[in-house]
Amino acid sequence: MTAGDREIVISRVVDAPRELVFEAFTEVRHLSRWWGPEGFTTTTRSFEFREGGDWIFVLHGPDGTDYSEWIRWLRIVPPERIELLHGETRDDPDAFESVLTFAQDGAATRLVMRTVFPTRELRDEAVEKYHAVEGGRQTLDNLAAYVTATLRKAAGG
C-alpha cells in the first residue's frame, strides 16, 4: 500500500503573503474565527502552538452535533511548513497526520494540505462519512476569506 492509497491532498491559493497565512494557524484568536467547514464553529479548550504542543477544541456542527478534536503540533518551520497529528483524543488510534506547506506565489500564497491516514479504509470513511475533501476545501476557503478580510481591515478598507 502506498501513501496515495491513504491520503487526501487539498490546495488553495490565498490572496495574501505567506507570513500572514501562516500566522492564521499560529494564534488561537485567528484559528477560532475560521477553522472548520461551512456552518461549523470552534471552541478551544487549550492551545499551545509549539512543537509537541496540543490544541484541544470542539467543532460545533450546524446540526448541533459537537465533535471533540485534538491536534498535536509535530513540526513547525515558520512560515513554510506545519506538520501535525489530528484525532479525537490524544490516544486516538485512528489519528492522521497532516503536512501543510505555505509557498509564496507572487503576492499570494499557495497552501497545500496533505493528509495521510493510517489505513485506506480510514481515508475512505473520512471521505464518504465525514465529507473530508469538501470539508477541507471549505475550511481553506474560510481561511482565505478570513485572511483577506483581515488584510483589508488592517489596510483601513
Side-chain angles (χ1 to χ4, degrees):
M1 179 165 35
T2 66
D5 294 320
R6 301 178 288 126
E7 73 180 353
I8 296 170
V9 179
I10 300 169
S11 65
R12 176 77 159 78
V13 174
V14 180
D15 189 20
R18 79 175 177 167
E19 289 78 12
L20 188 62
V21 177
F22 189 88
E23 181 184 320
F25 278 89
T26 68
E27 297 181 23
V28 71
R29 67 186 175 96
H30 294 309
L31 275 168
S32 295
R33 302 279 304 276
W34 64 264
W35 184 267
E38 285 299 317
F40 282 74
T41 59
T42 302
T43 300
T44 294
R45 302 284 185 229
S46 66
F47 182 82
E48 188 175 12
F49 189 76
R50 64 168 179 79
E51 290 184 3
D54 292 341
W55 179 27
I56 299 169
F57 60 101
V58 178
L59 270 178
H60 308 284
D63 64 356
T65 304
D66 288 341
Y67 302 90
S68 294
E69 302 286 331
W70 164 84
I71 286 178
R72 167 147 306 139
W73 309 108
L74 301 175
R75 186 164 183 245
I76 302 166
V77 183
E80 59 192 56
R81 185 180 185 94
I82 298 172
E83 298 176 17
L84 58 91
L85 184 63
H86 187 164
E88 292 180 7
T89 61
R90 282 186 178 99
D91 57 357
D92 185 348
D94 298 333
F96 52 87
E97 292 188 25
S98 292
V99 176
L100 297 100
T101 56
F102 304 77
Q104 199 67 46
D105 187 357
T109 302
R110 176 169 298 282
L111 174 58
V112 177
M113 181 170 55
R114 181 176 304 275
T115 300
V116 179
F117 293 83
T119 66
R120 180 181 345 176
E121 292 75 21
L122 287 169
R123 190 255 346 243
D124 292 348
E125 179 184 26
V127 169
E128 294 162 15
K129 183 176 179 183
Y130 298 106
H131 310 286
V133 173
E134 184 58 30
R137 286 186 183 129
Q138 290 175 5
T139 297
L140 295 186
D141 288 347
N142 290 342
L143 165 66
Y146 174 75
V147 169
T148 56
T150 300
L151 264 184
R152 281 194 296 274
K153 186 175 180 181

